Structure formats: C-alpha cells, structure tokens
Amino acid sequence: MPIITEDDNMQHGKRVFAVRSSLLPYAVQALNLDLAKIEARPEAQQIMLANLEEVKRHAF
C-alpha cells in the first residue's frame, strides 16, 4: 500500500479530487467509474467514493 499511496499522492489513504459540477461527468468517465455498479460489489472496486450520493446527484 505505501507504493500506491506515494504514486497516487494520497494522504491518510485517500486522494481528494475537486471537480466542478459541470465537469463531473468527464471526471467520472476519466476515472472509468460505473456509478451503477459501485454499490453492487465494493470489494471489487479499486476506487471507493466517500460521497457517492453527491456524485450521483451531479453526474448526469
């Protein structure tokens, strides 16, 4: 895990992305996230969203 946190510039095991609402769909696409499937199997996800419901509200 230390290599991942260093490579991804993470602090305390988290990486924060600030994204404007109008650009959120592009950020979701760039991160290759499928918002419908994130809740289905969290153990299969490499990226976990701390604010999934907020992202869903603004994504589309």
Side-chain angles (χ1 to χ4, degrees):
M1 181 92 147
I3 294 172
I4 294 170
T5 58
E6 186 176 321
D7 285 352
D8 291 333
N9 196 24
M10 297 171 73
Q11 300 207 349
H12 306 291
K14 296 180 182 181
R15 175 73 194 266
V16 177
F17 291 93
V19 179
R20 293 178 183 257
S21 292
S22 59
L23 298 176
L24 188 59
Y26 301 106
V28 168
Q29 183 179 15
L31 292 170
N32 199 26
L33 298 176
D34 185 346
L35 298 179
K37 292 183 180 178
I38 285 179
E39 292 180 54
R41 295 191 51 213
E43 67 275 3
Q45 297 297 318
Q46 294 179 348
I47 296 176
M48 294 176 59
L49 297 176
N51 59 344
L52 178 59
E53 291 307 314
E54 183 178 0
V55 170
K56 284 183 175 181
R57 263 196 322 269
H58 295 282
F60 304 99

